[in-house]
Amino acid sequence: MKIVESVPNFSEGRREEVVKEIISQAEGVKGVWILDWSMDIDHNRSVVTLVGSPEPLLDVLFKMTKKAAELIDLRNHRGEHPRMGATDVIPLVPVMGTNMPECVDLSKKLAKRIGEELKIPVYLYEKSATNPHRENLSEIRKGEFEGFFEKIKDPSWKPDFGPENVHPTAGVVAVGAREYLIAFNVNLGTDKIEIAEKIAKAVRYISGGYRYVKAIAVDLKEKGIVQVSMNMTNYRKSPLYRVLETIRREAARYGVPVVGTEIIGMVPMQALIDTAQFYLQLDDFSPSRVIEGCVLEILAKEGAKLSE
Amino acid sequence: MKIVESVPNFSEGRREEVVKEIISQAEGVKGVWILDWSMDIDHNRSVVTLVGSPEPLLDVLFKMTKKAAELIDLRNHRGEHPRMGATDVIPLVPVMGTNMPECVDLSKKLAKRIGEELKIPVYLYEKSATNPHRENLSEIRKGEFEGFFEKIKDPSWKPDFGPENVHPTAGVVAVGAREYLIAFNVNLGTDKIEIAEKIAKAVRYISGGYRYVKAIAVDLKEKGIVQVSMNMTNYRKSPLYRVLETIRREAARYGVPVVGTEIIGMVPMQALIDTAQFYLQLDDFSPSRVIEGCVLEILAKEGAKLSE
């Protein structure tokens, strides 16, 4: 059984009936499951977490994109989060029984269908990018919806699929395969935001830190503490435990303890295995040693036809 | 989907063809999967790890017991490991979608069938025990096969199911539900066995240590180090990380480091979640946040009828 995850982002976080109608495209579909969804009023944006078998998942993502194009008019959209499309971005993430090249193929298939059938320009990003300057989503999104009417004329920003004109109300969309992203926050026992800022700077890639870490400092005023809030964009290569231990050491230099951490959303089992293996100093351990992983693998091989 | 694990022990570890014939009773059975098996020549004993849906798993365990009774004659059996039956012990362990009371019921159902159809006396042990003095397997097994012809006459050792006479060649068998057992070994950077002995004593229940820890010291002569070898009989209540950190602290008192650990066999996902949660200082985390766990739960609800 192949399991792919997708976390499509839609530019609507205020009209709940619209978000629910978009999500309804995934409901009751065999082989696709909605794990989570959330709306953000300030960002005016919603995020849906889906997992599923590749084919039905692609079909659901297409239908959600179609529905979002029908119900969202970006000409009237305001929100704190930058956006360029009614459906802003559709990542595809290998979870089980599949790999990155397969997800790249899937992303191209979906992109082609969105471009041809919905007449929305599509940019392939991350691992699916057709050019290095298109790997980074924020580079693609620069200028946002309003700026794209000019940007799309630049030959270096010709869409990968679909028309060469911005969709008048639905804008453009980014589709791509990427590694699993873990949102990992570390709380520090101090109210000094400058300490969190120094530590965020120490661990994040752009300022010399770990290759696959994005980090900012956040002031949790109501709790009287500060936080290093991170996106771990490749938890196998820049693992949670290593980054946490670096933060712990840097904080100790100011006499500040780590008082807790949080993972937002879902996490792949492998991230827990890696963590346990590091701290327990476990020699020689593999996912096939975890009972649930083993049962899933067996179900996969059997095509999950067991019924009871 | 309900998943139960069983690790039946058979008193044959030398004649591979016999062990394979016993195992063949589980091969190709829908809803039952062989995760692992091993033979030990010195112990003259083999151990099979199975998982499956309750009903087909019980049926397979019955057939394995029947086959072992046909092929093993305890009158000719010699080995280092104490034993009382051709099939010596059959534990049933709740893994997923089930719980201890259900596994106790299953154990009684299996025990009844073995007693009635195979005419082998059965003792319920651990959580299935009908009397506290029968909870501990080693108490039941005391006297072994040869001693049971007398022991069974003692009213306090009347079998729970089956005849009140020892099966002439297959002996008696213990069946019971128990918690998942994790075999966890901690290697110490010293060749002084007395340090491992002191530490094993510090953490094990019988000498004042953790309630659900059995521990012995082992000399790994070929590696030039010693080991604290443990059975963790309830990893939720006496967790791996707590016991490891205690060992680390006790070893430090002798200037000895923990140089590695190993988990023998399979481990439930929850044990890794608990470990990650402790060391990462994760607030507020549950198994439903692990993608694979979530997918298994969904498959379970759907009766695992997804096919792809």
Side-chain angles (χ1 to χ4, degrees):
Chain A
M1 185 174 37
K2 295 179 182 188
I3 298 277
V4 174
E5 191 207 43
S6 185
V7 192
N9 286 220
F10 303 98
S11 296
E12 178 58 65
R14 292 170 191 170
R15 294 177 298 161
E16 192 170 330
E17 69 283 5
V18 168
V19 177
K20 284 196 166 161
E21 187 147 355
I22 294 168
I23 292 173
S24 75
Q25 306 301 307
E27 284 165 358
V29 176
K30 201 177 133 114
V32 175
W33 307 284
I34 304 162
L35 297 188
D36 191 27
W37 70 276
S38 62
M39 284 174 59
D40 188 300
I41 291 173
D42 296 333
H43 288 180
N44 198 5
R45 190 178 179 89
S46 50
V47 177
V48 184
T49 305
L50 303 162
V51 293
S53 300
E55 291 307 322
L57 181 65
L58 280 201
D59 196 52
V60 158
L61 291 167
F62 175 80
K63 285 181 179 147
M64 290 174 110
T65 305
K66 184 164 187 264
K67 187 55 73 179
E70 285 166 26
L71 301 179
I72 298 170
D73 185 344
L74 277 188
R75 292 173 301 182
N76 308 320
H77 180 276
R78 301 290 174 275
E80 279 175 32
H81 199 290
R83 80 286 178 268
M84 57 186 182
T87 300
D88 199 56
V89 54
I90 306 176
L92 292 168
V93 184
V95 169
M96 207 185 84
T98 183
N99 55 32
M100 194 55 75
E102 280 185 10
C103 283
V104 168
D105 287 347
L106 291 173
S107 72
K108 289 181 178 171
K109 211 168 152 185
L110 177 62
K112 187 165 186 283
R113 195 171 167 202
I114 291 172
E116 289 178 0
E117 296 183 35
L118 304 181
K119 311 293 177 207
I120 300 172
V122 186
Y123 292 90
L124 294 169
Y125 82 111
E126 280 274 348
K127 304 287 182 187
S128 304
T130 50
N131 195 302
H133 76 280
R134 297 183 179 201
E135 281 175 21
N136 193 329
L137 181 62
S138 57
E139 284 299 314
I140 299 175
R141 199 153 50 197
K142 211 171 268 176
E144 301 193 41
F145 171 67
E146 290 76 7
F148 247 99
F149 293 86
E150 269 308 305
K151 183 172 180 174
I152 204 167
K153 294 174 190 166
D154 179 343
S156 72
W157 289 106
K158 182 178 179 300
D160 290 297
F161 290 98
E164 292 181 28
N165 298 305
V166 178
H167 188 288
T169 58
V172 304
V173 57
V175 177
R178 63 160 168 79
E179 293 288 351
Y180 195 89
L181 185 151
I182 299 176
F184 182 48
N185 298 332
V186 177
N187 294 334
L188 303 176
T190 177
D191 58 1
K192 297 203 176 83
I193 187 71
E194 60 272 23
I195 292 178
E197 277 163 358
K198 277 180 187 160
I199 294 175
K201 206 172 157 189
V203 295
R204 73 184 165 218
Y205 176 59
I206 48 160
S207 48
Y210 290 103
R211 174 70 186 92
Y212 297 102
V213 177
K214 296 174 182 179
I216 57 167
V218 175
D219 199 346
L220 302 179
K221 285 209 177 71
E222 71 290 1
K223 289 187 181 162
I225 58 173
V226 298
Q227 182 179 76
V228 180
S229 177
M230 293 176 286
N231 274 341
M232 314 290 290
T233 58
N234 187 330
Y235 69 91
R236 299 306 304 270
K237 293 185 177 168
S238 300
L240 273 65
Y241 58 81
R242 189 172 301 147
V243 176
L244 172 62
E245 291 306 319
T246 302
I247 290 174
R248 196 191 304 287
R249 187 66 197 83
E250 294 282 321
R253 179 241 173 281
Y254 305 103
V256 169
V258 169
V259 295
T261 72
E262 52 186 14
I263 290 175
I264 309 297
M266 306 294 294
V267 67
M269 191 169 72
Q270 189 64 50
L272 299 177
I273 293 176
D274 292 346
T275 300
Q277 200 165 3
F278 176 77
Y279 286 110
L280 292 181
Q281 296 175 252
L282 262 181
D283 301 325
D284 187 28
F285 192 82
S286 87
S288 63
R289 303 273 295 282
V290 182
I291 298 174
E292 286 85 345
C294 209
V295 170
L296 255 183
E297 274 308 313
I298 293 167
L299 285 176
K301 275 183 204 144
E302 296 188 352
K305 276 174 194 141
L306 167 79
S307 68
E308 196 220 342
Chain B
M1 184 176 37
K2 295 178 181 189
I3 299 277
V4 174
E5 190 206 43
S6 185
V7 193
N9 286 220
F10 302 98
S11 296
E12 178 58 66
R14 292 171 191 169
R15 294 178 299 162
E16 192 171 330
E17 69 284 5
V18 168
V19 177
K20 284 196 165 160
E21 188 148 354
I22 294 169
I23 291 171
S24 74
Q25 306 301 307
E27 283 165 358
V29 176
K30 201 178 134 117
V32 174
W33 307 285
I34 304 162
L35 297 188
D36 191 27
W37 70 276
S38 62
M39 283 174 60
D40 188 300
I41 291 172
D42 296 331
H43 288 180
N44 197 6
R45 190 178 181 87
S46 51
V47 176
V48 184
T49 305
L50 302 162
V51 292
S53 301
E55 292 307 321
L57 181 65
L58 281 201
D59 196 53
V60 158
L61 291 167
F62 174 80
K63 285 179 179 148
M64 292 174 110
T65 306
K66 184 164 187 264
K67 189 53 75 180
E70 285 167 25
L71 301 177
I72 298 170
D73 184 345
L74 277 189
R75 292 173 301 182
N76 308 321
H77 180 276
R78 301 288 174 275
E80 279 175 33
H81 199 290
R83 80 286 178 268
M84 57 186 182
T87 301
D88 200 54
V89 55
I90 307 175
L92 293 168
V93 183
V95 169
M96 207 185 83
T98 182
N99 54 32
M100 194 54 74
E102 280 186 8
C103 284
V104 168
D105 286 348
L106 292 172
S107 72
K108 289 179 178 171
K109 211 168 150 184
L110 177 62
K112 188 166 185 283
R113 195 172 167 203
I114 291 172
E116 290 177 0
E117 297 184 35
L118 303 181
K119 311 293 179 207
I120 299 172
V122 186
Y123 292 90
L124 294 169
Y125 81 112
E126 280 275 347
K127 305 287 182 188
S128 304
T130 50
N131 194 302
H133 76 280
R134 296 183 180 201
E135 282 175 22
N136 193 328
L137 180 63
S138 57
E139 284 300 314
I140 298 175
R141 199 154 50 198
K142 211 171 271 174
E144 301 192 41
F145 170 68
E146 290 76 7
F148 247 98
F149 294 86
E150 271 308 303
K151 184 174 181 175
I152 203 168
K153 294 175 189 165
D154 179 342
S156 71
W157 289 106
K158 182 178 178 300
D160 290 297
F161 289 98
E164 291 180 29
N165 300 304
V166 178
H167 188 287
T169 58
V172 303
V173 57
V175 176
R178 63 161 170 80
E179 293 287 351
Y180 195 89
L181 185 151
I182 300 177
F184 182 48
N185 298 331
V186 178
N187 294 335
L188 303 176
T190 176
D191 59 1
K192 297 204 177 81
I193 187 70
E194 59 272 23
I195 292 178
E197 277 163 358
K198 277 179 187 159
I199 294 175
K201 207 173 156 188
V203 295
R204 75 185 163 216
Y205 175 59
I206 49 159
S207 48
Y210 290 103
R211 172 70 186 91
Y212 297 103
V213 177
K214 297 173 182 180
I216 56 168
V218 175
D219 198 348
L220 301 179
K221 286 209 176 72
E222 72 289 3
K223 289 187 181 163
I225 58 173
V226 298
Q227 182 180 74
V228 180
S229 178
M230 291 175 287
N231 275 339
M232 314 290 289
T233 57
N234 187 330
Y235 70 90
R236 298 306 304 269
K237 292 186 177 167
S238 300
L240 272 66
Y241 58 81
R242 188 172 301 147
V243 176
L244 173 62
E245 291 307 318
T246 303
I247 290 173
R248 195 190 304 288
R249 189 64 197 84
E250 295 281 320
R253 178 244 173 282
Y254 305 102
V256 170
V258 168
V259 295
T261 72
E262 53 185 15
I263 289 175
I264 309 297
M266 307 293 294
V267 68
M269 192 171 70
Q270 188 64 52
L272 299 177
I273 293 176
D274 292 347
T275 300
Q277 198 164 2
F278 176 78
Y279 286 110
L280 293 181
Q281 297 174 250
L282 262 180
D283 301 325
D284 188 29
F285 192 83
S286 86
S288 63
R289 304 273 296 281
V290 183
I291 298 173
E292 286 85 345
C294 210
V295 170
L296 255 184
E297 275 307 314
I298 293 166
L299 285 175
K301 276 184 203 143
E302 296 186 353
K305 275 172 195 143
L306 167 81
S307 69
E308 195 218 344

